[in-house]
Amino acid sequence: MRPDRKRVVSLVPSLTEAVAVSAPGLLVGVTDWCTHPAPELAGVARIGGTKNPDVRAIAELRPDLVIANEEENRAPDLAQLRAAGVEVLVTEVRGLPQALRELDRVLVGALGLARPGWLADAESAWARVEPDAERRAFVPIWRRPWMVLGRDTFAGDLLARLGVRNVYAGHAERYPKVAVAELAAAGCDLVVLPDEPYRFTAEDGPEAFPGLPAALVSGRHLTWYGPSLSQAPAVLSRALREAG
């Protein structure tokens, strides 16, 4: 570990898990949404949400580094941290290859850790993936209003590797709002419903699209880039197969 990087605050649940598993005890602050791994995060300071972190509380923790993400965290909050003299590393993740590179940049490059075994396991797991027959789908991430995965998303890339073609992948927006009637009429073979950020369940989501098979998938395995990546191909493939 780099001697100047002993106190880390993470503003991203995925990166929190990656650091906590790779270097227990390094984290001194995490967001309210950082839930994994629970034992390693017990007693770690909570500094608010990903979109509304308590900048003063973070500065008072005297971190050597704050790790963030350009999509999950707001630029004004990161600017305030820098103005307070805190070093901030901002990641960008739009697909699996970039996620693996960014994890390497954070863990090995910024924190000086040995490359963790789970990162190699994740690379191997995804290299072995053989996609099923292609199925057209849309992927809601919110309702009231309905929002779906659009272009250039990490989750969309994972699904594509498993044989799921997102019909909104060419949309101008990354997370477009789409009327439920338009979604139902999109001519898809499947609707993929993750349990985060909106918690879709068997009773909340599938009923909006009668007659369309619904795959209820783990949001953590679909949207988090960290240790869960090594199990994600199997977990997601099973959920897609069970949808019929």
Side-chain angles (χ1 to χ4, degrees):
M1 185 189 310
R2 286 180 51 171
D4 58 332
R5 299 287 169 78
K6 295 180 180 179
R7 298 176 62 82
V8 176
V9 169
S10 172
L11 303 182
V12 186
S14 298
L15 298 177
T16 294
E17 183 177 22
V19 174
V21 169
S22 305
L26 197 61
L27 291 165
V28 296
V30 297
T31 76
D32 297 338
W33 301 106
C34 296
T35 56
H36 294 274
E40 286 78 357
L41 297 180
V44 176
R46 298 288 173 165
I47 47 74
T50 56
K51 305 297 185 186
N52 59 344
D54 187 332
V55 172
R56 176 178 294 181
I58 294 171
E60 289 176 351
L61 289 171
R62 297 177 291 103
D64 301 305
L65 183 69
V66 171
I67 48 179
N69 176 263
E70 51 88 29
E71 177 178 71
E72 295 196 50
N73 307 120
R74 302 186 318 134
D77 296 323
L78 305 183
Q80 287 186 49
L81 286 168
R82 291 189 177 102
V86 177
E87 183 177 352
V88 180
L89 184 157
V90 182
T91 60
E92 178 183 279
V93 175
R94 303 292 176 91
L96 179 63
Q98 190 176 29
L100 296 171
R101 290 195 301 270
E102 290 288 66
L103 286 165
D104 195 275
R105 181 166 75 100
V106 171
L107 299 171
V108 180
L111 299 181
L113 304 176
R115 197 168 195 268
W118 63 258
L119 190 50
D121 292 342
E123 288 177 324
S124 298
W126 282 98
R128 294 192 300 269
V129 165
E130 295 184 4
D132 293 331
E134 182 179 276
R135 286 186 284 178
R136 290 164 46 86
F138 56 91
V139 189
I141 57 167
W142 203 258
R143 68 182 301 178
R144 294 186 292 273
W146 287 92
M147 299 176 66
V148 299
L149 294 183
R151 63 172 179 84
D152 298 333
T153 66
F154 172 73
D157 183 37
L158 295 194
L159 288 172
R161 294 170 187 274
L162 297 171
V164 176
R165 184 163 76 85
N166 175 16
V167 297
Y168 289 97
H171 198 282
E173 299 177 27
R174 297 186 66 213
Y175 303 101
K177 297 177 183 178
V178 184
V180 67
E182 179 182 332
L183 294 174
C188 289
D189 307 305
L190 183 72
V191 54
V192 179
L193 297 169
D195 60 10
E196 63 174 85
Y198 186 91
R199 187 172 179 78
F200 288 106
T201 67
E203 292 74 35
D204 186 355
E207 81 290 343
F209 311 102
L212 188 63
L216 295 166
V217 304
S218 162
R220 177 166 163 259
H221 290 92
L222 180 62
T223 64
W224 288 36
Y225 38 93
S228 59
L229 273 174
S230 58
Q231 294 87 37
V235 171
L236 296 174
S237 293
R238 182 169 58 252
L240 293 170
R241 286 194 301 268
E242 290 174 352

